[in-house]
């Protein structure tokens, strides 16, 4: 795969909830001096903003009107996210926001809107973009794609740890909610969570974060050395 354009490197990292994509992606981006773009935070913030505006999250038409009035801003340096000038960075990390995001992300109108925004952010390259559909839909021509996976149990444990800083949630509650979100992410009609044919699949069940980061960096390095991509 030879690079056709002169843009910078695009690294796509996809995978199910709780797998540790955000931590890994942030660390890889830091190491390679690339921008880190967390697309999940956009679905989360948009869902919260729609709720605040009293929009019915199940109503495509209402969501369409809402999206046409919305300005979303993701700051890659700080990772902060705001919608129509309101900062949702902290509330976006809660379990409630995750649930709402999982619902809103099944809607075509919302996906079209956010995918357009994400393409704009990443088109110049030099990014690590993380989500569910980056390698399949947002940047099918990404230079290198990873699909991180792990057992349900391992992911529930990681999610629980992640949520510890944002509020109280029990193991059973987190595990059940993750299962429901997995189902929604994988079964939705528009851009379901699937592994891109050319993605490097990494089962992280038995791996620590550092080990996953090392593996990802090694694969990128090998790809760069093979001359198929330029940094
Ligand atoms: O990665 P996350 O848990 O922050 O994502 C929250 C929800 O947003 C998740 O249930 C699925 C959705 N999502 C998506 O559909 N596509 C993306 N690129 C990122 C997130």
């Amino acid at each position: 795969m030879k690079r056709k354009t002169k843009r910078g490197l695009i690294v796509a990292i996809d995978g199910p909830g709780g797998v540790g994509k955000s931590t890994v992606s942030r660390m890889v981006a830091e190491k390679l001096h690339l921008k880190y773009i967390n697309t999940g935070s956009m679905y989360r913030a948009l869902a919260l903003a729609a709720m605040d505006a009293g929009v019915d999250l199940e109503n495509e038409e209402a969501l369409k009107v809402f999206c046409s009035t919305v300005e979303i801003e993701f700051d890659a340096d700080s990772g902060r996210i705001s919608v129509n000038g309101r900062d949702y960075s902290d509330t976006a990390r809660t379990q409630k926001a995750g649930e709402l995001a999982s619902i809103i992300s099944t809607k075509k109108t919302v996906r079209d809107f956010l995918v357009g925004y994400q393409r704009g952010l990443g088109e110049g390259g030099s990014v690590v973009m993380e989500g569910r559909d980056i390698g399949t839909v947002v940047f099918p021509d990404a230079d290198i794609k990873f699909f991180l996976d792990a057992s349900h149990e391992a992911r529930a444990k990681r999610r629980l740890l992640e949520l510890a800083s944002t509020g109280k949630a029990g193991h059973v509650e987190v595990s059940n909610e993750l299962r429901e979100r997995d189902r929604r992410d994988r079964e939705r009609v528009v851009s379901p969570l699937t592994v891109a044919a050319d993605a490097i699949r990494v089962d992280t069940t038995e791996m620590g974060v550092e080990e996953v980061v090392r593996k990802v960096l090694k694969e990128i390095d090998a790809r760069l050395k093979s001359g198929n991509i330029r940094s």
Side-chain angles (χ1 to χ4, degrees):
M1 176 189 64
K2 282 273 182 224
R3 177 79 66 76
K4 294 181 203 78
T5 64
K6 285 205 166 136
R7 63 153 167 74
L9 191 67
I10 296 183
V11 179
I13 303 190
D14 289 302
V19 78
K21 291 186 306 287
S22 303
T23 314
V24 169
S25 304
R26 191 181 310 108
M27 288 167 77
V28 168
E30 245 172 58
K31 193 83 189 167
L32 300 177
H33 305 290
L34 303 175
K35 279 186 278 184
Y36 161 56
I37 299 177
N38 174 344
T39 61
S41 74
M42 299 170 196
Y43 287 91
R44 287 166 177 260
L46 195 68
L48 290 173
M51 282 285 287
D52 287 347
V55 176
D56 174 3
L57 301 191
E58 293 291 354
N59 184 334
E60 279 273 351
E61 210 38 54
L63 284 168
K64 190 173 184 173
V65 174
F66 176 67
C67 286
S68 72
T69 68
V70 153
E71 198 167 318
I72 188 155
E73 231 177 304
F74 176 82
D75 179 43
D77 293 326
S78 63
R80 297 200 81 78
I81 178 92
S82 61
V83 180
N84 285 344
R86 177 160 174 195
D87 192 311
Y88 283 97
S89 316
D90 298 328
T91 41
R93 291 168 56 234
T94 58
Q95 192 184 15
K96 181 75 193 157
E99 271 168 51
L100 297 175
S102 160
I103 295 168
I104 210 177
S105 66
T106 62
K107 309 293 182 244
K108 185 174 180 327
T109 310
V110 169
R111 300 207 71 86
D112 287 349
F113 173 64
L114 286 181
V115 167
Y117 180 66
Q118 292 154 10
R119 285 189 180 141
L121 282 181
E123 67 189 356
S126 302
V127 296
V128 175
M129 194 174 282
E130 168 240 314
R132 301 288 192 289
D133 60 342
I134 311 305
T136 50
V137 176
V138 183
F139 284 112
D141 65 339
D143 299 289
I144 187 159
K145 305 175 186 178
F146 294 90
F147 190 93
L148 305 186
D149 213 342
S151 69
H152 174 80
E153 206 38 44
R155 290 188 291 117
K157 273 191 197 146
R158 289 173 196 171
R159 209 5 74 93
L160 197 62
L161 279 176
E162 204 179 286
L163 286 169
S165 62
T166 64
K168 294 176 279 307
H171 180 79
V172 174
E173 187 190 344
V174 168
S175 172
N176 289 342
E177 199 259 329
L178 192 62
R179 210 179 293 281
E180 177 54 20
R181 278 178 51 191
D182 271 0
R183 193 194 56 73
R184 252 192 235 123
D185 289 350
R186 291 178 205 270
E187 291 178 8
R188 68 178 173 229
V189 178
V190 199
S191 312
L193 174 68
T194 48
V195 189
D198 50 351
I200 299 165
R201 209 175 173 144
V202 186
D203 182 349
T204 70
T205 306
E206 305 288 337
M207 294 166 86
V209 175
E210 301 283 348
E211 200 182 345
V212 181
V213 171
R214 270 200 303 278
K215 161 88 179 154
V216 168
L217 289 172
K218 202 170 141 196
E219 295 284 354
I220 295 173
D221 192 50
R223 197 65 74 90
L224 288 168
K225 284 197 177 119
S226 74
N228 279 336
I229 53 176
R230 280 176 298 127
S231 58

